Amino acid sequence: MSAAPLVSLRDVSVRYGPATPRVLGHVTLDLMAGDRLAVIGESGSGKSTLALALAGLLPKGAAAEGRIAWPGLGEKPLPGRDIGIVYQDPSGSLDPVMRIGDQVAEVVAAHAAGPTDRSPREQAVELLARVELPDPANLARSYPHQLSGGQRQRVALALALAGRPRVLVADEATSALDPVVQSRLVGLIGRLCDEEGLALVFVTHDIALAASLASRLAVVYAGRLVEIGPRGRVLAHPRHPYTRALMAAHLGLDRPPGGRLATVEGSPPDLASPPPGCRFAPRCSLAVAGCTSGDPPWYGEPDDGAACVFAERLAP
Ligand SMILES: Nc1ncnc2c1ncn2[C@@H]1O[C@H](COP(=O)(O)OP(=O)(O)OP(=O)(O)O)[C@@H](O)[C@H]1O
Ligand SMILES: [Mg+2]
């Protein structure tokens, strides 16, 4: 018998208020132990909303339909304990007037499972070492403004790990960093997931970055999950025209030598008045008349397929 998923979403839709549009619709997916799931899509496609929904962190006033459950975690996760989350901007998680060692120690103490032989302060220094910060005992006495952007993001990662979570959500956590710092942090996140047995949800608009870290890719477009599958299958045989367009744009398939990075032509729809049928149809080079009437059918398995009438022809 296979283990229960850590997080299970069934036909989940989200809106942020009663009179506001649905920004996520009909998402079904499971997050298993050991998974490294990347969520990819353009700005406004619903990636952060999906991440917050699966972490049980949707803001007050948001309404979710469908079923969100955490069978492998027990009850709804406690914020900061069962699911750790790192955002793009570490200043949201860091207190500017508190020494970083004290901040990490505070979270360690808040989520301590029982007595240990090490103080929260000692554990905080260990966590700063785990995220590979130099001279952690000294660094623990620093304030956030004394650190570089990459170091601050490592502290945010230590804070996310301080509750000993089973799942780590990184929402564009490396996007604001320069490429070298970014690739070191991505490497660290991968190692930590292996060493701590963490499942990872890695949210990014960068399919190349996703491909470097994830074992599974989920592609969202205008609030819909349009494709999901193992990394190798999705990259070698993308089944959705949007995934193909993203790959062409970001993996440089259509990029002239020395030329600018290509983008997917056109822009995503206004979620308040989405186009009928497939939401990608207005930008899709394969679209036929039938694409604009009714939701596109799902081709494949729930965890390995795409929502497109051409999916079978694109990647049998
Ligand atoms: N707290 C909120 N209140 C109201 N609307 C929101 C809120 N957060 C997000 N939205 C809207 O929900 C939609 C999806 O936003 P979301 O932040 O999930 O997208 P995203 O894919 O994470 O984008 P980005 O790449 O820019 O971070 C957008 O139309 C956005 O304006
Ligand atoms: Mg976002």
Side-chain angles (χ1 to χ4, degrees):
M1 203 183 78
S2 59
L6 297 172
V7 188
S8 167
L9 270 57
R10 289 291 173 275
D11 203 18
V12 169
S13 301
V14 175
R15 58 177 89 234
Y16 279 101
T20 61
R22 255 187 191 179
V23 296
L24 199 65
H26 307 294
V27 172
T28 289
L29 65 83
D30 285 338
L31 184 75
M32 309 301 294
D35 246 353
R36 286 191 192 185
L37 177 72
V39 179
I40 315 158
E42 284 164 290
S43 184
S45 55
K47 303 181 298 295
S48 295
T49 304
L50 175 57
L52 292 173
L54 65 79
L57 287 174
L58 284 170
K60 274 204 177 75
E65 297 159 64
R67 193 168 64 85
I68 309 176
W70 297 271
L73 296 175
E75 296 293 302
K76 182 175 174 176
L78 276 183
R81 193 192 65 185
D82 305 299
I83 300 184
I85 184 158
V86 186
Y87 300 96
Q88 176 166 349
D89 180 2
S91 60
S93 340
L94 299 178
D95 182 338
V97 295
M98 194 173 174
R99 294 180 198 274
I100 60 166
D102 295 339
Q103 298 190 43
V104 179
E106 198 173 79
V107 182
V108 168
H111 297 296
T116 66
D117 52 0
R118 279 140 41 260
S119 68
R121 176 73 196 189
E122 287 168 325
Q123 293 180 58
V125 174
E126 282 169 23
L127 274 164
L128 296 176
R130 283 205 70 59
V131 296
E132 299 173 3
L133 280 162
D135 194 5
N138 256 324
L139 201 103
R141 288 190 278 274
S142 312
Y143 291 93
H145 75 269
Q146 296 173 301
L147 275 54
S148 70
Q151 288 178 327
R152 274 198 292 275
Q153 202 54 302
R154 283 170 192 254
V155 177
L157 188 55
L159 281 170
L161 298 177
R164 304 197 166 277
R166 305 265 310 277
V167 180
L168 178 67
V169 177
D171 185 351
E172 302 276 12
T174 68
S175 308
L177 304 170
D178 75 54
V180 174
V181 178
Q182 179 178 65
S183 88
R184 286 197 193 126
L185 192 58
V186 166
L188 171 66
I189 289 173
R191 285 194 296 284
L192 286 169
C193 288
D194 284 346
E195 289 162 13
E196 317 261 333
L198 282 164
L200 175 69
V201 179
F202 188 78
V203 174
T204 178
H205 59 276
D206 183 338
I207 193 170
L209 201 61
S212 74
L213 185 63
S215 57
R216 288 204 296 150
L217 303 181
V219 183
V220 290
Y221 182 78
R224 296 298 163 93
L225 180 67
V226 295
E227 176 152 17
I228 190 167
R231 175 184 60 180
R233 197 283 292 159
V234 174
L235 294 179
H237 305 290
R239 285 178 176 160
H240 198 283
Y242 178 60
T243 313
R244 294 168 71 101
L246 269 185
M247 283 172 59
H250 292 280
L251 300 180
L253 305 181
D254 286 346
R255 202 187 322 174
R260 289 181 49 208
L261 191 69
T263 53
V264 183
E265 246 174 68
S267 41
D270 178 359
L271 294 176
S273 53
C278 171
R279 293 173 171 209
F280 186 59
R283 296 168 83 182
C284 181
S285 57
L286 300 178
V288 293
C291 294
T292 55
S293 58
D295 278 345
W298 186 262
Y299 170 78
E301 302 301 318
D303 62 354
D304 186 7
C308 176
V309 285
F310 294 109
E312 183 173 10
R313 244 182 285 169
L314 286 175

